[in-house]
Amino acid sequence: MSFTGALGLMAMFLVDLVDMLFLSMLDEKEAVAAVGFASTLMFFTVSLSIAVSIAATALVSRAIGAGDMALAKRRATHVLAFGVLFSLALVWLIWPRIPQLLYFIGANFRTLDLATDYLQILVLGMPAVMIGMIGSGIMRALGDARRAMYATLLGGVVNAVLDPILIFALDLGVEGAALASLAARFSMVAVSYYGVVHIHKMLGEFELMDFLKDVRPIAVIAVPAMLTNLSSPLANAIVMAHGADFGDDAVAAIAIIGRVIPVVFGGLFALSGAVGPILGQNYGARLFDRMYKTLSSAVIYSAIYCILLCTGLYLSQEFLIRTFSATEATAEMIRFFATFVSFSFFFQSLLFIAIAAFNNLGKPLNSTLLNFGRATLGTWPLITIFGYIMGADGVLFGQAVGSVIFGLIGFRMARRFIRELEVKSLANG
């Protein structure tokens, strides 16, 4: 589940990395910084889509674990309807306010203009992202991780093919990168729709009264999950805003690192999508021994993954610097991240595991508190202090320290919560 999820997530985030790579070839650092600012806001919208997909995974996997396929199909249909309506409302709300939002997080002058052009195109693809993510969540709940991966893999391929054509051959620059990404997002919909509807036949007829009944259980999971997921882009926005104080070189470095992280650490980001449905199904079947083994296996997986990938990132740092034509100031931040900061992602993976447990086992508010704690108390004071002491590098280091603290706290809370569920289950016979 983690491996296929990792490949799928890496492919999706590779879309942004490919955009950054081709735009860096234009030899215009404002273009790279613009995509960094735009992607910071886009991360908010993608996080909301992931939150609704978490609700789909949790509700469908529990119904399957309890042996109620009719309920699973009904919930799948209604989560999808909920997601489409919600994403359309977001497009209506965000699109006219894009310049103000970008200015708020530090974009200005030509960087602001380029970021606005990029984001105004990309935001139109939000409903496609929502449908694709929910479809993948439903397939993961069914255990079909391979087909869920195909949707995001296709998106990466479409983007990689269209980027050079639109950016260079048609000379569209930043707008070409946005159009390529938009096409990639719509390609995800086709694969997800085919898997959910034609292969698994998981969508039934939409019934308004049943939908209204299901809105509450969907919202009980989706709303706290949205708040939880919004905390990560909030932390990134705080980091980007603090980085802007050190100039466009620092912003470009943070933007490049921000695109590299999901590709390199996609296997850790995939943990929530892998651990969640496994915990959900086993909780539905009251198999607590398997739930404990899932947590232990996830930690072992994270440790091995971090050792291998962080070592690889350290060894390839100069290649990244050359590939993105980084200035010396930008290069120094990339080296600092690859050498000292990247290993903190093991502790961040502990937080991902804890969040998956709380979201899928009926305690999503805990996930919200943990992630917002990391995004606020674990980010802003620390990057302010370390930024003052260490300069631009301190912005990265402060965020890493926060990840270590909240990762350890979150994992301990998750194990204790599963133990409480087991005790309660035994007491109820």
Side-chain angles (χ1 to χ4, degrees):
M1 289 287 281
S2 289
F3 180 72
T4 53
L7 289 178
L9 277 177
M10 285 177 184
M12 188 174 73
F13 287 113
L14 194 59
V15 167
D16 291 331
L17 184 61
V18 168
D19 283 349
M20 190 76 71
L21 176 61
F22 283 118
L23 289 173
S24 69
M25 296 177 184
L26 297 175
D27 198 24
E28 185 180 18
K29 68 180 181 181
E30 290 86 357
V32 177
V35 175
F37 280 116
S39 296
T40 298
L41 289 181
M42 201 62 203
F43 193 14
F44 277 94
T45 62
V46 172
S47 295
L48 293 175
S49 300
I50 293 172
V52 181
S53 76
I54 288 171
T57 301
L59 293 172
V60 174
S61 67
R62 282 190 215 165
I64 292 171
D68 192 342
M69 286 301 297
L71 178 61
K73 290 182 180 182
R74 192 182 95 182
R75 291 278 168 83
T77 303
H78 294 156
V79 173
L80 187 59
F82 178 92
V84 170
L85 293 172
F86 181 70
S87 61
L88 289 172
L90 281 176
V91 173
W92 175 80
L93 181 67
I94 292 171
W95 198 90
R97 297 170 178 81
I98 286 172
Q100 295 93 320
L101 292 170
L102 289 167
Y103 181 78
F104 179 74
I105 62 172
N108 51 43
F109 306 118
R110 177 160 172 74
T111 300
L112 175 59
D113 293 336
L114 291 172
T116 299
D117 292 341
Y118 183 85
L119 200 55
Q120 283 182 334
I121 294 171
L122 211 53
V123 161
L124 298 176
M126 277 191 60
V129 174
M130 183 70 76
I131 293 170
M133 295 301 295
I134 292 172
S136 292
I138 293 169
M139 287 188 283
R140 288 189 174 283
L142 292 161
D144 190 0
R146 180 173 52 86
R147 194 167 279 106
M149 172 188 70
Y150 289 158
T152 44
L153 280 179
L154 178 63
V157 171
V158 169
N159 195 86
V161 171
L162 291 180
D163 253 337
I165 296 172
L166 296 175
I167 294 173
F168 300 113
L170 299 181
D171 197 26
L172 293 176
V174 168
E175 291 181 356
L179 288 169
S181 296
L182 186 64
R185 282 158 169 76
F186 277 100
S187 70
M188 291 171 55
V189 175
V191 179
S192 295
Y193 181 84
Y194 178 78
V196 172
V197 176
H198 292 284
I199 300 299
H200 295 291
K201 297 179 173 34
M202 280 299 293
L203 293 188
E205 291 185 11
F206 178 83
E207 296 287 346
L208 180 60
M209 297 309 297
D210 286 339
F211 172 72
L212 295 175
K213 291 177 185 176
D214 284 339
V215 165
R216 186 178 181 278
I218 292 169
V220 164
I221 298 174
V223 172
M226 286 177 192
L227 295 174
T228 301
N229 282 7
L230 281 177
S231 60
S232 292
L234 172 62
N236 288 347
I238 293 171
V239 169
M240 184 65 76
H242 274 71
D245 294 337
F246 297 95
D248 274 351
D249 288 327
V251 170
I254 293 170
I256 291 169
I257 292 167
R259 304 288 74 73
V260 169
I261 284 172
V263 176
V264 174
F265 295 105
L268 300 182
F269 295 156
L271 269 178
S272 292
V275 170
I278 296 171
L279 288 174
Q281 282 203 21
N282 283 294
Y283 179 55
R286 296 298 187 266
L287 297 174
F288 289 96
D289 58 329
R290 286 193 172 188
M291 294 168 71
Y292 289 121
K293 288 177 183 177
T294 300
L295 293 186
S296 301
S297 297
V299 172
I300 294 169
Y301 166 87
S302 298
I304 296 171
Y305 188 97
C306 281
I307 291 170
L308 293 175
L309 271 295
C310 291
T311 302
L313 183 61
Y314 173 78
L315 296 174
S316 62
Q317 57 185 282
E318 297 302 324
F319 170 75
L320 287 174
I321 290 167
R322 291 193 302 271
T323 299
F324 287 98
S325 306
T327 64
E328 186 53 38
T330 299
E332 283 303 315
M333 287 188 71
I334 294 173
R335 291 188 186 101
F336 182 79
F337 173 80
T339 304
F340 300 107
V341 175
S342 61
F343 289 93
S344 68
F345 274 83
F346 169 72
F347 297 94
Q348 196 159 329
S349 73
L350 298 182
L351 186 60
F352 295 155
I353 296 167
I355 287 170
F358 289 126
N359 280 339
N360 285 271
L361 300 177
K363 207 84 168 183
L365 184 59
N366 282 14
S367 298
T368 303
L369 294 174
L370 279 170
N371 235 11
F372 262 96
R374 183 183 67 88
T376 52
L377 294 175
T379 300
W380 182 76
L382 292 171
I383 66 175
T384 301
I385 294 169
F386 286 105
Y388 177 78
I389 297 171
M390 303 169 62
D393 289 345
V395 175
L396 301 175
F397 189 74
Q399 190 179 28
V401 172
S403 294
V404 172
I405 294 170
F406 279 87
L408 292 171
I409 292 172
F411 187 76
R412 181 174 177 81
M413 287 175 60
R415 283 194 62 87
R416 183 180 297 173
F417 176 58
I418 292 176
R419 176 61 183 163
E420 290 172 0
L421 291 176
E422 184 180 20
V423 170
K424 188 181 297 185
S425 178
L426 291 172
N428 293 334

